[in-house]
């Protein structure tokens, strides 16, 4: 299938990044969200990020203008039905994703491929609630999308080969690298990453080290560009907790039990950078550890 137009559901951090890379790669992009303010903010963010690429000579002015001209927005989910590929990038809650697909499916073209940017939820289960499980896949981009090179491609039990090959071709056109994963909780990246972050929170919870020492140890001792607690704040502690719960529920192994301190931070609304506080307090000029 020749994919030319793409619908992106969700104008948040992941959604606007996905729209950004698809527009630069020559696709016509329609972004949908339930909030006009979110759509406006997404266009502002995309423009700012592409302008930064122009200033660094990574994108030409002509390509910048053409990419922005390819992006449109809508509050109407059914309007995405005429696109060739739909990428759902809404909140990481299964009931929300299921309701989105239920509303969208009656308006889709027969050949439209449906995908979810979920970082952990079963693709097979999401696909089974649609009219096209054979044309449904997990299409998991890494954050920040314009910078990160990897895309996880996750086949559900019913996904057919033409759909998989079509998305492989899309990833190649985006200039990124695909990693194929089987449909098990959290796939590859988060199956490995989230337990590491959760263990870092346990290390803090048990008093083995404070925030600064844990992050410094992993940055300087293992050459990670960002410490695990700093990374958790960047991802969002609510997202980290949601993925740990998916791992714990899906695999029934106590090694995936979310740390009580992670749960406590989420209950407090301290979700990381996006709320101004997490394992660090971001309300001043420089981040300050909160423990």
């Amino acid at each position: 299938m020749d994919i030319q137009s793409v619908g992106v559901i969700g104008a948040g951090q992941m959604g606007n990044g996905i729209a950004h890379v698809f527009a630069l790669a020559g696709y016509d992009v329609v972004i949908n969200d339930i909030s006009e303010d979110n759509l406006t903010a997404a266009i502002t963010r995309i423009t700012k990020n592409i302008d930064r690429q122009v200033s660094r000579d990574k994108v030409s002015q002509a390509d910048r203008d053409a990419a922005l001209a390819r992006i449109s927005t809508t509050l109407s989910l059914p309007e995405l039905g005429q696109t060739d590929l739909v990428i759902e990038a809404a909140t990481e809650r299964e009931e929300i994703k299921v309701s989105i697909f239920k509303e969208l499916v009656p308006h889709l073209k027969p050949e439209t491929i449906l995908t979810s940017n979920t970082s952990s939820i079963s693709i097979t289960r999401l696909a089974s609630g649609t009219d096209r499980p054979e044309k449904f896949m997990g299409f998991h981009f890494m954050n920040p999308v314009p910078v990160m090179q990897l895309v996880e491609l996750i086949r559900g039990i019913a996904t057919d080969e033409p759909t998989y090959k079509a998305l492989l071709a899309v990833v190649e056109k985006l200039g990124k690298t695909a990693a194929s994963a089987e449909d098990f909780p959290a796939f590859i990246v988060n199956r490995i990453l989230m337990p590491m972050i959760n263990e870092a929170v346990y290390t803090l919870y048990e008093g083995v080290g404070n925030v600064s020492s844990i992050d410094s140890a992993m940055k300087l001792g293992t050459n990670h560009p960002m410490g695990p607690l700093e990374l958790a704040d960047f991802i969002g502690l609510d997202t980290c907790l949601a993925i740990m719960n998916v791992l714990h529920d899906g695999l029934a192994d106590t090694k995936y039990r979310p740390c009580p301190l992670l749960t406590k931070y989420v209950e407090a609304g301290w979700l990381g950078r996006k709320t101004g506080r997490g394992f660090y307090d971001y309300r001043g000029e420089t981040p300050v550890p909160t423990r």
Side-chain angles (χ1 to χ4, degrees):
M1 179 182 175
D2 183 25
I3 296 171
Q4 297 181 339
S5 57
V6 180
V8 178
I9 303 169
Q13 194 172 38
M14 294 304 296
N16 74 62
I18 292 167
H20 172 155
V21 298
F22 270 91
L24 273 179
Y27 295 95
D28 293 321
V29 180
V30 186
I31 311 173
N32 164 261
D33 200 276
I34 57 174
S35 161
E36 187 67 56
D37 288 345
N38 289 352
L39 291 171
T40 301
I43 296 298
T44 301
R45 174 60 63 87
I46 292 167
T47 303
K48 180 180 177 182
N49 287 342
I50 297 181
D51 284 343
R52 186 183 297 116
Q53 290 176 300
V54 172
S55 71
R56 294 174 180 172
D57 294 325
K58 292 184 177 180
V59 173
S60 71
Q61 187 67 39
D63 286 345
R64 175 255 190 212
D65 295 343
L68 292 175
R70 292 187 193 103
I71 302 173
S72 60
T73 63
T74 181
L75 292 170
S76 171
L77 187 60
E79 282 190 28
L80 270 57
Q82 294 308 300
T83 58
D84 302 322
L85 167 66
V86 174
I87 304 167
E88 172 274 313
T91 305
E92 188 71 354
R93 287 171 53 192
E94 186 166 348
E95 65 271 20
I96 291 175
K97 296 178 186 295
V98 168
S99 67
I100 286 170
F101 290 129
K102 185 176 180 181
E103 181 182 348
L104 177 62
V105 159
H107 306 281
L108 294 175
K109 298 187 297 183
E111 66 271 22
T112 297
I113 294 175
L114 266 182
T115 69
S116 176
N117 184 58
T118 179
S119 52
S120 61
I121 298 168
S122 167
I123 297 304
T124 298
R125 198 162 61 238
L126 289 175
S128 69
T130 74
D131 67 342
R132 61 196 66 209
E134 71 287 350
K135 291 186 180 298
F136 195 108
M137 277 194 72
F139 207 24
H140 182 214
F141 289 82
M142 305 296 125
N143 184 35
V145 181
V147 175
M148 302 296 278
Q149 286 299 303
L150 183 73
V151 182
E152 281 185 311
L153 292 183
I154 306 100
R155 283 190 263 204
I157 198 168
T159 306
D160 64 23
E161 192 66 15
T163 298
Y164 173 70
K165 286 184 174 176
L167 290 189
L168 265 181
V170 168
V171 173
E172 186 175 340
K173 187 174 176 181
L174 293 177
K176 296 190 181 294
T177 301
S180 298
E182 294 302 316
D183 185 23
F184 291 101
F187 319 129
I188 295 173
V189 173
N190 284 316
R191 171 75 175 264
I192 298 167
L193 175 64
M194 285 303 159
M196 185 196 77
I197 287 175
N198 194 52
E199 195 61 31
V201 182
Y202 266 115
T203 305
L204 178 65
Y205 175 62
E206 293 169 3
V208 180
N210 60 26
V211 169
S212 295
S213 61
I214 292 166
D215 276 352
S216 294
M218 293 305 290
K219 282 192 287 188
L220 303 177
T222 62
N223 210 26
H224 289 191
M226 199 181 287
L229 301 176
E230 183 186 1
L231 180 57
D233 276 357
F234 180 75
I235 294 167
L237 303 193
D238 52 339
T239 300
C240 293
L241 179 60
I243 296 170
M244 287 309 302
N245 280 325
V246 166
L247 281 165
H248 192 231
D249 295 344
L251 298 171
D253 191 324
T254 55
K255 73 180 180 180
Y256 299 116
R257 183 172 68 95
C259 179
L261 184 61
L262 178 60
T263 302
K264 193 63 65 182
Y265 268 73
V266 172
E267 288 173 346
W270 291 20
L271 308 182
R273 286 178 180 265
K274 61 187 174 185
T275 58
R277 277 189 291 189
F279 292 114
Y280 293 85
D281 189 326
Y282 300 91
R283 294 174 299 172
E285 287 187 16
T286 57
V288 178
T290 54
R291 290 178 88 84

